[in-house]
Amino acid sequence: MNTPDNSAVLNRSAAFASITVALLLVGLKTWAAWSTGSTAMLGSLADTVLDLIASVATLAGVWVAAQPADKHHRFGHGKAEALAALFQIVLISISALTLAFRAIEQFFAGARTEAAGDGILVSVIAMAATLGLLAWQRHVIAKTNSLAISTDHVHYQSDLLLNLAVIGALALDQYVGISGSDPLFGLAIALWLGWGAWRASQEAITQLMDREWPEDKRKKFIEVMARHPELRGVHDLRTRTSGNQDFVQFHVWVDPDMTIQQAHRVMDEIEIKLLAEFPGVEILIHPDPEGHVDTGIGAKDLMPPVGA
């Protein structure tokens, strides 16, 4: 089982790896943008600079998120990951808008590129480094389910397409002689970045707004509870995710003649079963005597009928 400490180490290793790759690519692409004069390469450089800044923000986010709960943050610091992800999204959006204006300006100015071979070589090196980073990020995400690393992963996935676009732009402009192809590719890159920012923003907003788990995950959670023979009903189930930490609270109906000690035993048994299926989740259970009716959005019994 992956422990919180192991998750923190893995998340930091992925953040450090992305910073290292970004530093390498910033140096290479700065030289290539200067030597080629390519708008597409300039866009790729701008994206990599923002990747570097975003990766530093990711490192800060996963570092803070890994800190244990304290008296001021009793639910932990997991939302630092969502804040880091939103910061990255703002940077991507600014990059996309700037690049789009630059591409349109270059298209109408009729600018041409130079030294296509240098730009293509740099793009190939960038793709190789990015593929290695993506492989490590996928490993870390599978172990930790980190939102900040997942958002960073989206950036570097798009980098593969960006570098392919740069190669295509340089080849069409210089080797095929199609004028205007470089700024058009630059504009396409800007649109792709904007779309990536929109997609990445959805998960960050979901976490910050404490959205409920997906319905299939909630259903499985209830099914595990329903296996306990002394449980008479479940209601007011509330779920949320903060970083890579899940939180659940709910009310259960038990026999009203149970003693506090007996009811506590049932709660402990239910919690053990749930943690076996949902390791690491923080659970808060409130027992009610059977027949007690709460008012509000969660009052309805969620347990499936016996024999269903």
Side-chain angles (χ1 to χ4, degrees):
M1 184 184 300
N2 201 46
T3 66
D5 286 342
N6 288 338
S7 293
V9 171
L10 284 170
N11 287 337
R12 286 197 294 268
S13 74
F16 277 122
S18 65
I19 290 172
T20 301
V21 170
L23 284 170
L24 170 66
L25 298 186
V26 164
L28 289 172
K29 290 182 181 181
T30 297
W31 171 75
W34 173 79
S35 64
T36 64
S38 166
T39 302
M41 178 60 78
L42 183 64
S44 185
L45 169 61
D47 178 64
T48 302
V49 169
L50 291 178
D51 278 348
L52 174 59
I53 298 171
S55 294
V56 172
T58 297
L59 176 60
V62 298
W63 203 297
V64 173
Q67 301 307 307
D70 55 41
K71 65 179 182 179
H72 298 297
H73 305 89
R74 298 296 299 275
F75 290 99
H77 300 79
K79 287 188 178 180
E81 287 200 27
L83 291 173
L86 281 181
F87 177 71
Q88 295 176 58
I89 290 160
V90 170
L91 291 180
I92 297 172
S93 301
I94 293 172
S95 175
L97 288 172
T98 303
L99 179 56
F101 285 123
R102 170 70 175 173
I104 293 170
E105 180 184 48
Q106 290 292 89
F107 179 81
F108 287 107
R112 300 300 299 272
T113 62
E114 301 175 359
D118 293 342
I120 291 173
L121 175 62
V122 167
S123 295
V124 170
I125 295 173
M127 290 177 68
T130 301
L131 283 170
L133 175 62
L134 288 173
W136 180 244
Q137 286 179 329
R138 280 194 297 271
H139 170 74
V140 171
I141 293 167
K143 295 288 186 181
T144 69
N145 198 32
S146 167
L147 174 59
I149 301 301
S150 296
T151 305
D152 214 30
H153 188 69
V154 171
H155 296 177
Y156 286 98
Q157 280 182 320
S158 67
D159 277 359
L160 291 177
L161 293 177
L162 295 184
N163 287 299
L164 281 174
V166 170
I167 292 171
L170 290 171
L172 288 173
D173 187 75
Q174 288 190 40
Y175 300 144
V176 182
I178 302 177
S179 62
S181 58
D182 179 62
L184 287 176
F185 270 80
L187 183 60
I189 291 171
L191 293 173
W192 173 259
L193 287 173
W195 173 242
W198 169 256
R199 288 188 303 163
S201 69
Q202 303 308 299
E203 180 62 25
I205 292 172
T206 290
Q207 286 204 15
L208 289 172
M209 294 297 293
D210 287 336
R211 185 168 180 173
E212 289 286 331
W213 288 356
E215 189 58 35
D216 57 340
K217 188 174 179 180
R218 281 170 52 89
K219 183 178 179 181
K220 182 180 178 182
F221 194 87
I222 294 170
E223 287 173 352
V224 174
M225 282 191 283
R227 297 171 193 164
H228 197 287
E230 295 178 273
L231 195 63
R232 306 290 179 85
V234 178
H235 58 284
D236 204 13
L237 173 66
R238 304 182 187 188
T239 60
R240 67 186 181 92
T241 299
S242 179
N244 60 355
Q245 176 69 56
D246 285 330
F247 295 87
V248 183
Q249 64 184 63
F250 54 91
H251 291 219
V252 296
W253 280 330
V254 294
D255 186 341
D257 294 326
M258 275 187 176
T259 64
I260 294 176
Q261 184 175 12
Q262 290 172 327
H264 190 271
R265 171 187 57 79
V266 172
M267 301 305 102
D268 284 345
E269 291 171 356
I270 293 172
E271 188 169 346
I272 290 171
K273 290 178 181 293
L274 289 170
L275 288 174
E277 296 285 341
F278 298 85
V281 65
E282 184 169 310
I283 300 172
L284 178 64
I285 309 175
H286 179 83
D288 286 330
E290 184 180 10
H292 175 79
V293 178
D294 293 305
T295 58
I297 192 170
K300 181 180 177 182
D301 182 18
L302 300 174
M303 272 185 60
V306 177

